[in-house]
Structure formats: C-alpha cells, structure tokens
Amino acid sequence: MNTAEETASGETSAWGEVTPDAARRLLVAAVEAFAERGYHATTTRDIAGRAGMSPAALYIHYKTKEELLHRISRIGHEKAVEILRVAAGGKGSAAERLADAVSSFVRWHAGGRTTARVVQYELDSLGPDARAEILALRRQCDAAVRGIIEDGVAAGEFDVLDVQGTTLAVLSLCVDVARWFSVNGPRTPEEVGALYADLVLRMVGAK
C-alpha cells in the first residue's frame, strides 16, 4: 500500500486540512519520497515529479523542502497527541486506558507506516526552531502515557518502579511498528495493536 492508498483508506485523512489540492498532492508525494529515499536524498524535483507537477509549482505552496517536512511532522505529531489524549481521558481503569492507548497508537503506526516512518524518524532533519516545536508535541505524547501509568500505580493496578523509563519503553515499542510492519505480514494492524496492548499490560504488571 502506498501513501496515496493509505490516504484513501483513511490514515492520511489528516491531510484533509491541507489545501488547496495541489498542496496536498505535493505533501503526499513528499511523504512517499522521504519514506523511500530519506529526506536528504530527496530533491524538490523528485517531489514535484511524483505529484505530476513542475518544480516551480512546488514553490508556490512550500518555500523549502524543510517546510514540507515540518508540516508533515507537525500534522503527524498532532494526530499522535490526539490519539493518546483521547485514550488517557477515556473512561475505565488505568489498565483499560493504557490498553486503548497502546492499541490505537500501534494501529496508527501500522496502518499509516509510510507516513509514520517520516514523522518519527526524520526529526533530526528539521532545523532548530521546527525541531523544538515537534519535540514539544512529543513531550505531550509522553505526558499522556506517563499519566495513565502514574494513575495505575497510584490505584495499585500497576507495579512499576520506574515510570519515566517504562513510559519511554512503551512509546518506543509503538513507534517501532512503523519500521517493520508490512501488509504482507501475518498480522493486521488491529492484531498487532491487540498483541502490543497485552504485552504492555504485562510490562507494567497489571493486576
């Protein structure tokens, strides 16, 4: 499944906020190119060609290649924050909320692995200001998961000695799915999400 197909299936419905259509096409083409070749090996000509446009047309919508990456990263991280905050603020026990957070986050990384690879692994390609903005969004992701784990420890549901370290481990597990998941593999995004939710609950010693 390429990025365009992921868009059609709903993963990149977040790109719906990118207008006009030409700007959206360029952004989707950039995601594909960055995921395939890496940010530094991708040229603006590569991106424009994938979008069926001239290089000059790209600069009408994006001043630089980095601006494209920044927008992709910001939208992707805002979606990640939303997924985790919804789970953290849901009803139910800490164990139920943590399982929901993990399964939802994993499904997003598996179902939209092309986008997620760019969002999660091209951070160091951003300039200082853009990188600082994305790091702030990552801290919000961390806070959402850490809050659930802290709730579970306080309620006696979880047995965790190092909340901060465990939070990092949980997020790392989820993020890494984007690196290896394949539609030709033995599990669907939903099945991987359920598996990881179970693994994380075991990790925190859920009662």
Side-chain angles (χ1 to χ4, degrees):
M1 182 187 295
N2 61 29
T3 307
E5 290 171 327
E6 289 173 4
T7 303
S9 69
E11 187 278 328
T12 46
S13 59
W15 305 141
E17 67 189 71
V18 179
T19 57
D21 179 67
R24 186 183 309 112
R25 283 164 51 202
L26 286 164
L27 186 142
V28 171
V31 170
E32 292 178 344
F34 294 158
E36 180 181 316
R37 305 187 62 184
Y39 174 79
H40 292 293
T42 298
T43 67
T44 53
R45 184 176 294 276
D46 294 332
I47 296 168
R50 286 174 183 262
M53 301 165 68
S54 70
L58 185 148
Y59 295 108
I60 296 174
H61 303 285
Y62 302 99
K63 295 178 182 178
T64 63
K65 184 176 69 167
E66 186 191 346
E67 183 181 336
L68 261 169
L69 178 61
H70 182 206
R71 190 157 197 200
I72 292 165
S73 297
R74 185 177 67 248
I75 293 173
H77 279 87
E78 287 171 347
K79 179 60 177 178
V81 170
E82 177 189 3
I83 289 170
L84 294 174
R85 280 185 171 172
V86 167
K91 297 180 180 179
S93 66
E96 290 169 332
R97 288 184 286 131
L98 184 58
D100 184 30
V102 170
S103 61
S104 299
F105 207 38
V106 166
R107 288 198 307 271
W108 183 73
H109 281 85
R113 66 211 163 278
T114 305
T115 298
R117 281 200 299 271
V118 176
V119 169
Q120 299 291 6
Y121 294 114
E122 288 288 359
L123 176 64
D124 289 339
S125 298
L126 292 170
D129 291 343
R131 189 173 188 276
E133 180 184 346
I134 301 306
L135 285 173
L137 290 170
R138 289 195 175 197
R139 286 193 290 272
Q140 292 180 43
C141 290
D142 181 276
V145 174
R146 187 175 66 250
I148 301 173
I149 296 175
E150 289 173 342
D151 288 347
V153 171
E157 290 185 55
F158 300 158
D159 182 13
V160 176
L161 296 178
D162 184 345
V163 172
Q164 183 175 353
T166 301
T167 299
L168 176 61
V170 170
L171 288 170
S172 296
L173 277 173
C174 296
V175 166
D176 194 55
V177 170
R179 182 184 58 78
W180 60 261
F181 184 82
S182 170
V183 291
N184 298 318
R187 292 187 173 92
T188 65
E190 291 74 20
E191 289 169 338
V192 177
L195 171 64
Y196 273 47
D198 178 69
L199 291 173
V200 167
L201 290 180
R202 293 172 186 272
M203 180 191 298
V204 299
K207 302 290 192 295

